[in-house]
C-alpha cells in the first residue's frame, strides 16, 4: 500500500522557506527523478531509475546533478518512515506526487525498482545540456528511446521551478508560476521576444521585462521545425499536453526497470 507514502510526500512538498520565489520542493523532486531516470542507454541497457545510483558520489558529483542532494535529503525522512521502499521507487513516486500536487496530470507509476551499488553508476554526459540545441536534444533523448513529440512534451516540465547560478550556472524562472504545472512554458517560448542576456554567466536568454529566462535547449522548440510543430500544439491545447506528458513521463521513469 503506497497511499501512506504518497500522503507523506504530499505533506512535505510545500515549504515557503525553501527556494526563494518558489517555496516548494515539488520542482526539485521532479528534477531528481528526471536526472536519475534520464541516464538510461537503451543499447547497453545501463542507467535509469532502477538503481538510484545518484546516492553515490561518482554520480552525485556529475555537473548536471548539482543541488539534487537537497531533494535526496528531504526524501530521506520519508525513507526512514517507510524503510521497505527502494530509493528508486521513492524518488520516482515523489516526482509523480509532486506533479499531481502542482496541478499536473495523474501519471501511471509502478513499483519494483531495485537499488544498485556505486559500481553501477552510469558515466557522466548522458543528460541534456541546457546550452545546446535541437541536435543535442535528439542525440540525448533518442538514446533513451524517445521521439521528437515525446521530447517536446517532456521539456514542458520547465513550467516548474527555476535555474540556480550556484547549481547549473544558469539563473532565473521559466514561467511566473513555478509551482503550477501547465502549458505556460510553451506559450512563453513561442510568444515572447527572447534576447541574449548580458551577464557574467553562461549563454541564456531573457524576456524584455528581464524577469524570465530561457536556455538554448528551450529555444530549440522555437527554432527547430519539428519541435516547433509540437510546441504549438501544446501551447494551444493544455489537455493534449497533459495527456502526452503523462504518457512520456511514465515511460521516462520506467527506464532501466
Amino acid at each position: 500500500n503506497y497511499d501512506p507514502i504518497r500522503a507523506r510526500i504530499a505533506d512535505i512538498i510545500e515549504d515557503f522557506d525553501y527556494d526563494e520565489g518558489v517555496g516548494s520542493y515539488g520542482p526539485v523532486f521532479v528534477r531528481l527523478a528526471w536526472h536519475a531516470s534520464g541516464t538510461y542507454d537503451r543499447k547497453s541497457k545501463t542507467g535509469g531509475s532502477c538503481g538510484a545510483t545518484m546516492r553515490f558520489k561518482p554520480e552525485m558529483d556529475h555537473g548536471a546533478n548539482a543541488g539534487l542532494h537537497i531533494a535526496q535529503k528531504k526524501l530521506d525522512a520519508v525513507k526512514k518512515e517507510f524503510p521497505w521502499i527502494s530509493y528508486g521507487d521513492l524518488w520516482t513516486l515523489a516526482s509523480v506526487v509532486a506533479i499531481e500536487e502542482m496541478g499536473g496530470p495523474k501519471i501511471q507509476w509502478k513499483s519494483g525498482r531495485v537499488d544498485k551499488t556505486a559500481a553501477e553508476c552510469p558515466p557522466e554526459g548522458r543528460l541534456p545540456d541546457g546550452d545546446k540545441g535541437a541536435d543535442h536534444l535528439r542525440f540525448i533523448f533518442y538514446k533513451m528511446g524517445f521521439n521528437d513529440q515525446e521530447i517536446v512534451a517532456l521539456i514542458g516540465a520547465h513550467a516548474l521551478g527555476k535555474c540556480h547560478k550556484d547549481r547549473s550556472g544558469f539563473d532565473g524562472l521559466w514561467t511566473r508560476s513555478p509551482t503550477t504545472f501547465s502549458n505556460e512554458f510553451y506559450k512563453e517560448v513561442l510568444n515572447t521576444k527572447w534576447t541574449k542576456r548580458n551577464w557574467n554567466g553562461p549563454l541564456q536568454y531573457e524576456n524584455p521585462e528581464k524577469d524570465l529566462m530561457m536556455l538554448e535547449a528551450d529555444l530549440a522548440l522555437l527554432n527547430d521545425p519539428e519541435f516547433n510543430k509540437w510546441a504549438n500544439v501544446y501551447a494551444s491545447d493544455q489537455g493534449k499536453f497533459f495527456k502526452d506528458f503523462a504518457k512520456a513521463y511514465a515511460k521516462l521513469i520506467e527506464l532501466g526497470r
Side-chain angles (χ1 to χ4, degrees):
N1 181 10
Y2 290 89
D3 288 344
I5 302 180
R6 283 178 172 269
R8 188 69 187 99
I9 293 167
D11 284 343
I12 65 172
I13 285 176
E14 189 174 274
D15 186 338
F16 294 115
D17 293 328
Y18 171 68
D19 206 0
E20 183 179 358
V22 177
S24 170
Y25 283 93
V28 76
F29 286 173
V30 175
R31 181 170 168 248
L32 174 64
W34 184 305
H35 283 217
S37 303
T39 59
Y40 185 68
D41 178 83
R42 62 178 177 170
K43 288 186 177 179
S44 64
K45 293 182 170 54
T46 58
S49 67
C50 186
T53 48
M54 203 194 303
R55 292 171 292 136
F56 304 112
K57 189 173 177 62
E59 188 174 347
M60 188 67 255
D61 286 349
H62 292 179
N65 294 332
L68 287 177
H69 65 285
I70 296 170
Q72 292 186 41
K73 183 178 180 181
K74 189 71 173 178
L75 290 171
D76 279 347
V78 181
K79 174 72 170 171
K80 289 178 181 177
E81 291 183 50
F82 305 93
W84 50 267
I85 189 172
S86 69
Y87 281 101
D89 279 350
L90 176 60
W91 293 356
T92 53
L93 180 59
S95 72
V96 167
V97 172
I99 289 167
E100 294 175 8
E101 288 290 312
M102 292 185 287
K106 184 174 180 61
I107 296 167
Q108 185 178 27
W109 178 86
K110 300 176 184 177
S111 63
R113 294 164 188 80
V114 178
D115 295 332
K116 297 180 181 178
T117 66
E120 296 170 278
C121 287
E124 190 164 8
R126 291 190 177 182
L127 294 168
D129 292 330
D131 62 352
K132 295 181 175 63
D135 289 345
H136 171 73
L137 290 176
R138 289 190 172 97
F139 174 75
I140 294 294
F141 280 94
Y142 283 8
K143 288 199 299 181
M144 290 185 250
F146 292 106
N147 61 32
D148 286 358
Q149 172 260 315
E150 292 169 318
I151 293 170
V152 177
L154 288 170
I155 293 175
H158 279 176
L160 303 174
K162 68 178 185 180
C163 288
H164 303 77
K165 196 172 189 316
D166 62 344
R167 300 179 194 177
S168 65
F170 302 110
D171 176 64
L173 296 164
W174 283 283
T175 73
R176 296 183 179 89
S177 301
T179 58
T180 300
F181 195 93
S182 71
N183 66 341
E184 193 64 26
F185 168 76
Y186 302 108
K187 295 178 182 180
E188 292 292 352
V189 169
L190 299 175
N191 300 322
T192 301
K193 181 177 174 57
W194 298 100
T195 58
K196 290 182 180 180
R197 180 180 177 183
N198 183 18
W199 75 308
N200 184 26
L203 173 64
Q204 66 178 72
Y205 298 82
E206 62 186 4
N207 64 342
E209 295 81 10
K210 302 184 185 300
D211 63 337
L212 297 178
M213 66 94 211
M214 289 287 163
L215 308 179
E216 189 74 22
D218 300 318
L219 294 190
L221 275 59
L222 181 65
N223 299 323
D224 181 87
E226 185 66 16
F227 286 168
N228 183 258
K229 177 184 76 175
W230 286 107
N232 274 283
V233 169
Y234 297 144
S236 62
D237 189 341
Q238 181 165 276
K240 172 67 171 170
F241 165 50
F242 275 25
K243 180 181 178 180
D244 288 355
F245 178 86
K247 185 177 179 181
Y249 194 78
K251 177 178 174 179
L252 174 69
I253 59 176
E254 282 287 297
L255 295 177
R257 199 170 75 84

